[in-house]
Amino acid sequence: MTELKRPLPNISKESQGFWDAVQQDKLVIQHCHSCDSNIFYPRRICPHCWSKDLGWVEASGKGTIFSVTTTYLGTTAEFSDELPITVAWIDLDEGVRMASNIVGCGPEQAKIGDRVQVVFEKANEDFKLPFFKIVEA
Amino acid sequence: MGKIAIIGYHEVPTQINPERTRWDILEEVITGAVRNAGIDKDDIQGVINVAPQAQPDLISQTAFGLIPEHFGLKGVKDNMICNAGGASTTNCVRMAEQWITSGMAEVVIVPHTTVQSDIPAEDLISFFAKAPMHPEWEFPFGMTFNGAMALITERYMYETNTSEQEMASVTYALRDWGSRDPMSLFFNKPQSMDDILNARKISTPLRAKDCNMLADGGGCLIIASEAYAKKHCAKPVWKLGHGSAFIGATPAVREDVYWRESYKKSTSEALQQANLNVDDIDIHEIYGAYPFSQCAYVEAVGLCDEGEGARYHAAGHTLLGGKTPCTTMGDATGRGHTGSGVSMAFYCQVARQLRGEAGDNQVDGANKVMVVTAGGSGMNALTTIWGAE
Ligand SMILES: [Zn+2]
């Protein structure tokens, strides 16, 4: 796969675990041990109970498209070579919603309600991003 | 009658005009508003400036007091700047109210200018693509401001079974108001449904005409105490109520996806404070910057059933002469987007409508106007209600 030119996430101390897992082809979700909730995106304290007793749970990587758009114009220049790009909000089976890209299909192919599965793709030699592809329901 | 009133306003047309500098615009809108109010410049006791987006030099200059010094405002006791994105003007007005009701000031000016067209296009796209998007959880996936709003629109259309044609009718309504507003970038440029539906795709389902065009502009409000307004102003525009609701910063993780619940909270709070019912409101001015927000709002305040917002627009109810004229300056879609300044344009329009000065967009007999503004990528819903004497 050709190297993507897109900007990479600014990783913080509290999100390091998420991105480390992605590099090992795993999708993890932050979990609060105090109130037993799944949290997305990762934070320093639980937004529900303010506990700092936080850890990670491995997600199934399966989810459903809550909404999807194909972007033709208006991204920053680093994305130009990838346009059109399909951006979606995905409801993971673990009960959190995240933004990502739908890959492996053409523009305007993905639909609300489609079942998706995470795939890990190289943005460059050293860094992977979690994307999603459509799977049979 | 309220505790504060808008007693003067002035606005420059929204244009793409890099020749017109930030300080040119500030001079025009501040002197214009003071003359419009018919007051003495030295009666101004406070300056609360709207922070423009992507203008760091101007933000520093105005935050640190250059406006009262530049204009020789001898009566000024304090100066500040406010940044709540597109909700800044509402917050400036609320701060002015606090300064006035606490006895610190009788007259406060709220100016704003943005010039975006002298910023290199690449920098501007980069700024507006990134500014309201989460740098770690949205931006690396190619999410833009338009993209996030497209995701909301797509889901809205799916859940409410709204057709492309029905959705385009919202843009049509906004552009229709804009085409008759000399302050709009789209003045004298009437649009057809075909123009809207055939515009190039930006981020499905949004086409170019559904999205904002970045532009330059500015305006200024003069806010005064009840006593001062009664003594010095023939046509004060009174603030009657206020409500607010916070929605959330990152669109992907918001529970209130369409902002409908927040619109309900902030408008009902404002109506209660003003002791009014929604039927008392003659005009609804909705700053949501994208068409779906117009739909969610008319549903939230009960002008139509939930899910019927686009069809309510398609039936022509929100147009001039319709049942409930909405967003008579066209929102950002029908006006152009001046960073942080669209809410200023809304308040100038409120004053125009209530004073009978809205020209070809005048709603006959307009006596009560509700306005809702939002900041960031829709982080909040701030409602205010205004009335003429
Ligand atoms: Zn917790």
Side-chain angles (χ1 to χ4, degrees):
Chain A
M1 171 176 181
T2 53
E3 192 164 293
L4 302 179
K5 292 182 189 142
R6 64 167 72 189
L8 299 177
N10 302 317
I11 297 173
S12 61
K13 206 169 141 191
E14 54 271 23
S15 66
Q16 188 74 51
F18 178 90
W19 294 110
D20 285 350
V22 167
Q23 306 321 307
Q24 294 157 37
D25 292 356
K26 284 185 183 135
L27 190 69
V28 297
I29 300 167
Q30 198 178 32
H31 184 79
C32 174
H33 297 302
S34 294
C35 71
D36 199 29
S37 53
N38 286 338
I39 301 163
F40 192 84
Y41 46 88
R43 279 161 243 196
R44 201 181 298 270
I45 61 168
C46 171
H48 307 291
C49 72
W50 285 10
S51 168
K52 290 187 175 177
D53 185 11
L54 302 168
W56 301 98
V57 290
E58 189 171 347
S60 62
K62 292 180 175 32
T64 305
I65 294 179
F66 177 79
S67 194
V68 61
T69 181
T70 298
T71 296
Y72 290 87
L73 270 171
T75 57
T76 56
E78 303 100 313
F79 289 94
S80 302
D81 294 345
E82 294 186 60
L83 294 177
I85 184 171
T86 301
V87 182
W89 286 338
I90 292 141
D91 283 343
L92 297 179
D93 289 357
E94 289 75 18
V96 296
R97 183 173 299 154
M98 68 179 285
S100 182
N101 297 130
I102 306 296
V103 295
C105 65
E108 300 183 47
Q109 294 299 299
K111 298 278 177 283
I112 289 173
D114 283 352
R115 288 289 288 166
V116 291
Q117 168 74 48
V118 72
V119 290
F120 301 94
E121 290 196 359
K122 278 188 169 183
N124 64 32
E125 218 30 67
D126 305 316
F127 196 83
K128 289 180 194 170
L129 285 166
F131 296 145
F132 288 80
K133 64 171 189 197
I134 298 167
V135 291
E136 291 300 312
Chain B
M1 206 166 299
K3 292 184 188 118
I4 59 161
I6 298 170
I7 62 164
Y9 69 95
H10 192 80
E11 198 184 0
V12 297
T14 302
Q15 289 172 356
I16 294 169
N17 181 1
E19 301 301 310
R20 200 175 59 172
T21 71
R22 292 165 181 81
W23 284 88
D24 285 342
I25 294 177
L26 280 174
E27 283 170 14
E28 187 174 337
V29 298
I30 291 173
T31 59
V34 166
R35 287 183 189 125
N36 180 262
I39 64 171
D40 187 300
K41 74 175 171 63
D42 294 331
D43 278 2
I44 296 165
Q45 291 175 309
V47 177
I48 304 176
N49 194 65
V50 176
Q53 295 295 312
Q55 328 267 312
D57 290 347
L58 186 63
I59 286 174
S60 294
Q61 290 162 1
T62 52
F64 299 157
L66 207 53
I67 286 177
E69 180 177 282
H70 183 92
F71 289 89
L73 307 178
K74 306 290 184 211
V76 163
K77 293 181 181 177
D78 204 3
N79 174 90
M80 67 163 284
I81 189 165
C82 165
N83 189 351
S88 298
T89 310
T90 304
N91 278 303
C92 290
V93 169
R94 182 156 49 180
M95 180 55 71
E97 182 172 10
Q98 199 276 332
W99 284 7
I100 289 166
T101 54
S102 69
M104 197 279 267
E106 278 211 291
V107 181
V108 176
I109 62 166
V110 176
H112 165 262
T113 184
T114 300
V115 174
Q116 299 178 131
S117 60
D118 67 354
I119 300 171
E122 185 66 21
D123 294 355
L124 210 54
I125 291 170
S126 178
F127 180 88
F128 278 93
K130 279 189 239 182
M133 294 296 104
H134 199 292
E136 186 166 6
W137 306 105
E138 291 182 317
F139 184 59
F141 297 105
M143 186 83 79
T144 61
F145 195 8
N146 289 331
M149 299 301 125
L151 287 165
I152 304 174
T153 309
E154 176 75 9
R155 181 76 195 184
Y156 175 86
M157 292 172 70
Y158 170 85
E159 270 189 23
T160 60
N161 199 22
T162 293
S163 70
E164 277 184 76
Q165 199 86 15
E166 287 163 346
M167 203 66 214
S169 72
V170 184
T171 297
Y172 176 83
L174 298 171
R175 292 278 181 147
D176 187 59
W177 288 108
S179 71
R180 281 179 280 109
D181 175 2
M183 294 293 141
S184 171
L185 191 58
F186 308 110
F187 180 51
N188 276 337
K189 291 177 186 158
Q191 301 285 308
S192 69
M193 286 289 284
D194 281 347
D195 293 334
I196 294 160
L197 286 163
N198 294 330
R200 62 185 176 166
K201 291 177 184 181
I202 302 288
S203 207
T204 57
L206 298 180
R207 297 184 172 84
K209 308 264 181 187
D210 308 311
C211 300
N212 313 166
M213 193 184 276
L214 296 178
D216 313 331
C220 182
L221 304 173
I222 314 277
I223 311 290
S225 69
E226 181 173 349
Y228 189 98
K230 278 183 177 167
K231 195 169 165 196
H232 294 273
C233 182
K235 286 184 185 172
V237 171
W238 298 102
K239 184 175 170 190
L240 305 178
H242 195 122
S244 31
F246 180 72
I247 299 168
T250 307
V253 299
R254 286 178 190 154
E255 285 175 24
D256 185 9
V257 175
Y258 313 115
W259 323 349
R260 202 191 271 134
E261 298 312 309
S262 303
Y263 281 147
K264 274 182 199 166
K265 278 185 210 158
S266 70
T267 56
S268 62
E269 197 175 302
L271 284 166
Q272 204 174 2
Q273 205 179 96
N275 200 20
L276 293 170
N277 295 310
V278 72
D279 300 338
D280 299 323
I281 303 297
D282 302 306
I283 303 173
H284 297 262
E285 301 280 4
I286 310 140
Y287 174 22
Y290 287 83
F292 81 85
S293 60
Q294 305 288 323
C295 302
Y297 175 93
V298 295
E299 295 167 18
V301 298
L303 296 179
C304 62
D305 289 341
E306 211 157 272
E308 294 298 315
R311 285 178 280 274
Y312 190 79
H313 282 80
H317 297 319
T318 64
L319 297 168
L320 184 67
K323 258 203 282 197
T324 39
C326 289
T327 317
T328 67
M329 47 67 78
D331 197 8
T333 307
R335 165 58 88 101
H337 199 272
T338 60
S340 289
V342 183
S343 55
M344 171 60 69
F346 268 97
Y347 284 100
C348 290
Q349 181 70 352
V350 167
R352 263 184 219 108
Q353 287 285 2
L354 287 173
R355 287 176 164 197
E357 296 167 1
D360 287 348
N361 277 340
Q362 182 65 48
V363 174
D364 282 345
N367 191 260
K368 300 278 184 296
V369 179
M370 186 143 78
V371 49
V372 60
T373 63
S377 55
M379 67 152 178
N380 56 3
L382 302 186
T383 305
T384 54
I385 300 175
W386 299 81
E389 207 81 49

